[in-house]
């Protein structure tokens, strides 16, 4: 039963026709993500992505499962990306980060009078880091 439904389709030359490219991409993302989360290296993560994409175009229960998961993952990722754009998540995170860094710098400046030369050097390094961060954001 397991051999007929799961293993044989993988070794077959048959390909499931009409599988949408987004479904294949979703399956590949799933395979790569699971491999990465399991602590595998880049080569194993790539192999997992390729294997999941291949599984998505094979007939049988394994292929059906890969196609279902790939479809859900692709649609979910696109929905999340649309929501991030709609609610300007990147801008909000950038503003929050800048605000937190400015607060930290204000605290350091208020305590600067108690600092020696070494700490003053650290303050200069933090101000440089703040400037670089603002340039990136």
């Amino acid at each position: 039963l397991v051999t007929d439904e799961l293993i044989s389709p993988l070794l077959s030359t048959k390909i499931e026709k009409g599988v949408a490219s987004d479904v294949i991409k979703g399956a590949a993302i799933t395979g790569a993500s699971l491999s990465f989360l399991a602590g595998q290296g880049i080569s194993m993560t790539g192999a997992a992505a390729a294997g999941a994409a291949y599984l998505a175009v094979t007939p049988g229960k394994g292929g059906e499962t890969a196609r279902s998961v790939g479809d859900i993952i692709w649609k979910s990722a696109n929905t999340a990306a649309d929501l991030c754009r709609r609610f300007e998540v990147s801008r909000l995170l950038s503003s929050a980060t800048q605000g937190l860094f400015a607060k930290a710098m204000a605290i350091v400046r208020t305590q600067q009078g108690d600092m020696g030369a070494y700490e003053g050097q650290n303050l200069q390094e933090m101000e440089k880091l703040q400037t670089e961060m603002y340039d990136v954001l």
Side-chain angles (χ1 to χ4, degrees), residues 84-107:
C84 284
R85 281 190 291 275
R86 183 181 307 158
F87 294 108
E88 299 179 341
V89 171
S90 178
R91 184 186 59 79
L92 293 173
L93 288 174
S94 174
S95 295
T97 303
Q98 288 177 0
L100 287 172
F101 203 87
K103 288 273 189 192
M105 289 300 296
I107 291 169

Side-chain angles (χ1 to χ4, degrees), residues 13-106:
T13 58
K14 294 180 184 174
I15 298 291
E16 187 74 24
K17 303 248 189 255
V19 179
S21 64
D22 289 349
V23 170
I24 297 168
K25 290 185 273 187
I29 289 169
T30 302
S33 299
L34 291 174
S35 177
F36 179 76
L37 290 173
Q40 300 301 313
I42 189 75
S43 59
M44 286 302 295
T45 298
Y54 174 74
L55 184 60
V57 296
T58 60
K61 299 286 185 191
E64 289 174 22
T65 302
R67 287 188 291 280
S68 294
V69 170
D71 186 44
I72 290 167
I73 293 299
W74 188 257
K75 287 177 180 174
S76 298
N78 281 322
T79 300
D82 289 342
L83 289 172
C84 284
R85 281 190 291 275
R86 183 181 307 158
F87 294 108
E88 299 179 341
V89 171
S90 178
R91 184 186 59 79
L92 293 173
L93 288 174
S94 174
S95 295
T97 303
Q98 288 177 0
L100 287 172
F101 203 87
K103 288 273 189 192
M105 289 300 296

